[in-house]
Amino acid sequence: MASPDRLFGLRNSFYIGAYHAAITSSQSVPAHGLSPDDLAERDAILYRSYIAIGSHQLVINEIGPSAATPLQAVKLLAVYLSGGAAGNKESVISRLRELLADPAVGTNPILRLMAGTIFMHERDYAEALKHTNYGGNMELLALNVQIYLQMHRADHAEKQLRIMQQLDEDHTLTQLANAWVDIVMGGPKIQEAYLIFQDLSEKYPSTCMILNGKALCSMHMGNFEEAEGLLLESLNKDAKDAETLANLIVCSLNLGKSATRYLNQLKLAQPDHMLVKRVSSAEDSFNKACQAMA
């Protein structure tokens, strides 16, 4: 008889974006009885949850130079996302390449997951896939789905999704990946994605991730008032959540409402967000056009 998976609840909390719950539940999973790999995974999820809520410096401070490779990889992600100087990102990528080239640790799944995440942020999708395409666990497969969708290769994303479905159709990450693919496919698939997020919201506490998923589907179906309600609920949970603010900007504009406050909040919360960059670029172009006409 297989032993119970003592990290199941912790993983699920992290997958659905319940980061505070993941931080709390990680402390209720004692180290004794865990294998070295499970212990590394527990601590990695703990620190990744702190990264997700913006506590990058805590992770950087707590993970020392003698920590195991998986935690060193998580620390590199924290440094990368901390918004420091450009040189920081270059040193992170340099150190990451060193670890990946080390035959003793280069195949570690958490290291490969962090590498894929960082290179995806860099938009170096080929390099990201080089490290994630080996598969090995559901998180790596789900990351592959995200990478292919960012590359506008929904066909490859669907292939990764089918692998996940064959492994475990009911897995939370399989359900989320299915919804991501359905949203990109559009049409009647949007309703299917909405139902997936609805099912998740009935199984688990509604998180910003789940509420944003439902809201995005609602906007695609033209239900902007419903989407606004879901996004305001999400904003009440986390006033600095970048995706909530970005979706509120789009939703407000479609409702004919001012989005200025949400845009200003997004600029403060995540100045490197793609929507902020697009608005800034449009403002620059407009200003240049005005100057040319003056």
Side-chain angles (χ1 to χ4, degrees):
M1 183 177 176
S3 59
D5 184 353
R6 298 174 66 185
L7 299 182
F8 178 83
L10 174 61
R11 288 193 200 97
N12 246 21
S13 292
F14 181 77
Y15 296 156
I16 63 168
Y19 303 118
H20 290 284
I23 290 167
T24 302
S25 63
S26 71
Q27 296 162 2
S28 65
V29 182
H32 63 82
L34 291 179
S35 69
D37 286 345
D38 283 346
L39 184 59
E41 185 182 1
R42 183 201 68 175
D43 292 345
I45 292 174
L46 167 66
Y47 286 120
R48 289 168 67 197
S49 297
Y50 275 118
I51 291 172
I53 63 172
S55 298
H56 304 104
Q57 197 59 48
L58 180 146
V59 177
I60 294 167
N61 291 344
E62 287 200 4
I63 299 178
S66 62
T69 298
L71 296 186
Q72 293 294 340
V74 173
K75 181 176 181 176
L76 288 175
L77 177 63
V79 174
Y80 179 87
L81 294 175
S82 63
N88 277 353
K89 290 189 175 182
E90 291 174 6
S91 64
V92 164
I93 292 171
S94 175
R95 176 59 180 149
L96 190 60
R97 292 186 190 279
E98 288 177 14
L99 290 172
L100 291 164
D102 184 342
V105 298
T107 59
N108 180 274
I110 295 175
L111 171 60
R112 290 192 286 124
L113 188 66
M114 296 303 98
T117 302
I118 289 171
F119 286 119
M120 183 174 71
H121 277 283
E122 286 285 294
R123 300 186 181 278
D124 189 347
Y125 301 123
E127 187 67 23
L129 289 168
K130 184 190 300 184
H131 306 294
T132 61
N133 244 345
Y134 294 110
N137 62 40
M138 296 297 275
E139 271 206 272
L140 285 164
L141 289 166
L143 183 57
N144 282 343
V145 172
Q146 289 182 302
I147 293 168
Y148 281 124
L149 290 177
Q150 288 198 18
M151 294 172 67
H152 306 291
R153 292 304 306 266
D155 53 336
H156 286 301
E158 279 190 289
K159 290 177 183 177
Q160 294 295 308
L161 174 59
R162 283 196 290 272
I163 295 171
M164 296 178 74
Q165 290 170 331
Q166 289 166 3
L167 290 171
D168 187 348
E169 191 170 13
D170 296 324
H171 196 288
T172 301
L173 284 177
T174 305
Q175 295 300 307
L176 286 169
N178 199 343
W180 302 334
V181 172
D182 284 347
I183 289 171
V184 170
M185 298 299 286
K189 290 287 187 180
I190 297 295
Q191 180 65 27
E192 293 179 25
Y194 182 90
L195 292 174
I196 290 173
F197 286 117
Q198 179 64 31
D199 183 56
L200 289 171
S201 69
E202 291 171 359
K203 284 182 181 177
Y204 308 110
S206 283
T207 62
C208 290
M209 181 188 293
I210 292 172
L211 290 166
N212 272 273
K214 289 175 70 175
L216 192 57
C217 293
S218 295
M219 286 194 285
H220 274 285
M221 294 186 288
N223 301 327
F224 292 101
E225 289 185 359
E226 178 187 350
E228 184 183 38
L230 291 164
L231 292 168
L232 290 174
E233 183 182 347
S234 179
L235 195 66
N236 283 334
K237 292 179 180 293
D238 184 355
K240 295 181 179 179
D241 184 69
E243 291 313 303
T244 301
L245 292 166
N247 285 327
L248 270 168
I249 292 167
V250 175
C251 188
S252 297
L253 292 173
N254 277 280
L255 287 169
K257 298 181 179 181
S258 172
T260 304
R261 179 161 56 88
Y262 299 131
L263 178 59
N264 289 335
Q265 286 178 265
L266 183 58
K267 287 178 179 178
L268 290 171
Q270 194 170 323
D272 289 335
H273 193 281
M274 182 57 67
L275 187 57
V276 172
K277 289 182 177 179
R278 286 177 180 171
V279 170
S280 297
S281 177
E283 288 174 346
D284 289 344
S285 297
F286 178 76
N287 290 334
K288 288 177 183 176
C290 289
Q291 290 169 4
M293 295 172 67

